[in-house]
Amino acid sequence: MDALGTPKTASEIGEQVGASSALAEAILDVLAALDLVQVAGDTYVFSAGMSTYISMLGKTILRGDLRATQLLTEDFAERFRVGGASVVGWHYDPAILQAWGMRSVEQVVLWTDRLFRLLDGLTEALQTPQARFLDVGTGVGRLAIAMCRQFPNLQVVGLDPYRTAINLARQNVAEEGLSDRIDLRCMPVQELTDMKSFDLAWVPGMFLNPTSVAEGFHRIRDALRPGGWLIVGTVAAEGEGIQPAVLKLMSVLFSGGLLQSKEAAEILEQAGFDDVRMLPAAQGLPNRTIVGRRPVE
């Protein structure tokens, strides 16, 4: 990625990345066929659409995405190699957890650039000294860390029932010097007892077992301050074709089931949320966002 920031020949790129000129050129031709790289004479450079990923944050997110995809694929194949393949939910080794965690940072970028402005009063609430955020399924804590960086006053509570993930999150949070702002709890959302405490809650529905969604949404509604918002993420698995099919497979692997966007919206309404909306999927992103608000008292 660094090599493709400015136009270079295949030989120059190969020398920079430690590959032969022939191998570098073959890889570059694949990237060019995918419209990721532009070719001008004998030089190669990132296409305009890849410019976002030249930044440090962009590279971090893309690296996490590529690494997570590789490791998850290897894990999936291993299940069949040893026999007895089954759905085990979100129980992976630290390398996969850390890679997936780096992908989650992109969520904060999208929220602050596009989503929060659509949710009445949310940005202002997150900037107050009393601002609090509930991160359900916090994993290794990367999203919680990114939210703290984005909003300097914010206090975060991160929930995750997977002990391995929470232990990694504690290490990551400590390394970032945020242990005093991020409270990590090894517990499922169904055991949450906080009342009127948070301005915003986030639930990645693709990791939540469908049987626990209704109880979880009720607990979150009680935990939100009046006027607080809940954001739910689901995979865009509606329709036919390769992408919906693969997303459905991922959802089954991660949670044991599939929470559809429409179903999530209906459960939100049943849990007492107002202003429930299913937002259109962002172009190029395989997820759907559903939002709901605890009524203002």
Side-chain angles (χ1 to χ4, degrees):
M1 294 180 70
D2 292 334
L4 286 166
T6 57
K8 293 184 179 68
T9 65
S11 296
E12 291 171 332
I13 292 173
E15 183 177 353
Q16 184 169 340
V17 303
S20 69
S21 176
L23 179 57
E25 184 174 358
I27 295 172
L28 289 164
D29 287 343
V30 173
L31 297 176
L34 293 169
D35 293 325
L36 302 177
V37 167
Q38 293 178 332
V39 183
D42 63 347
T43 64
Y44 300 81
V45 67
F46 263 144
S47 62
M50 289 295 290
S51 60
T52 300
Y53 298 99
I54 297 175
S55 70
M56 182 57 67
L57 178 59
K59 283 191 287 188
T60 297
I61 293 170
L62 182 59
R63 186 181 297 114
D65 195 3
L66 295 172
R67 182 67 171 151
T69 300
Q70 174 195 0
L71 293 172
L72 286 166
T73 302
E74 292 174 358
D75 175 86
F76 190 41
E78 181 68 8
R79 295 188 195 192
F80 286 93
R81 189 188 71 79
V82 300
S86 63
V87 173
V88 296
W90 188 246
H91 289 271
Y92 292 101
D93 67 35
I96 294 178
L97 296 176
Q98 292 282 29
W100 195 272
M102 294 311 302
R103 292 182 77 246
S104 69
V105 175
E106 184 176 26
Q107 200 75 259
V108 177
V109 177
L110 295 173
W111 287 349
T112 54
D113 286 351
R114 307 176 191 177
L115 178 59
F116 287 173
R117 70 184 69 173
L118 303 177
L119 306 182
D120 185 44
L122 179 58
T123 299
E124 294 80 3
L126 294 176
Q127 292 171 340
T128 68
Q130 299 79 30
R132 298 190 79 211
F133 168 55
L134 176 64
D135 182 18
V136 177
T138 193
V140 299
R142 290 298 178 185
L143 187 143
I145 291 168
M147 282 290 286
C148 283
R149 297 299 186 208
Q150 184 69 34
F151 298 97
N153 294 321
L154 191 65
Q155 295 285 327
V156 179
V157 171
L159 308 181
D160 203 299
Y162 189 24
R163 176 69 64 180
T164 300
I166 283 291
N167 288 340
L168 291 170
R170 291 197 174 107
Q171 295 175 22
N172 293 334
V173 168
E175 289 173 1
E176 295 290 334
L178 292 169
S179 298
D180 60 333
R181 293 177 58 193
I182 300 176
D183 173 18
L184 297 167
R185 307 176 188 176
C186 188
M187 58 182 285
V189 66
Q190 304 94 290
E191 296 179 6
L192 182 68
T193 58
D194 298 61
M195 302 293 287
K196 297 183 179 180
S197 299
F198 301 98
D199 302 288
L200 173 66
W202 156 245
V203 174
M206 64 287 293
F207 300 115
L208 199 63
N209 190 301
T211 60
S212 62
V213 169
E215 176 65 20
F217 285 0
H218 276 90
R219 295 294 182 109
I220 292 170
R221 180 195 175 280
D222 291 341
L224 286 170
R225 291 167 174 156
W229 289 93
L230 168 61
I231 302 173
V232 181
T234 64
V235 294
E238 300 88 355
E240 299 179 353
I242 184 62
Q243 178 170 297
V246 171
L247 291 172
K248 181 178 180 180
L249 170 62
M250 290 174 62
S251 183
V252 170
L253 288 172
F254 290 171
S255 68
L258 175 63
L259 179 66
Q260 297 278 11
S261 304
K262 184 177 180 181
E263 180 185 7
E266 291 172 350
I267 298 174
L268 277 178
E269 291 175 343
Q270 294 166 4
F273 284 87
D274 281 349
D275 201 6
V276 175
R277 287 175 266 168
M278 287 191 299
L279 304 179
Q283 184 176 5
L285 295 177
N287 55 358
R288 292 290 301 274
T289 299
I290 304 93
V291 298
R293 192 179 197 188
R294 174 169 178 165
V296 178
E297 298 175 353

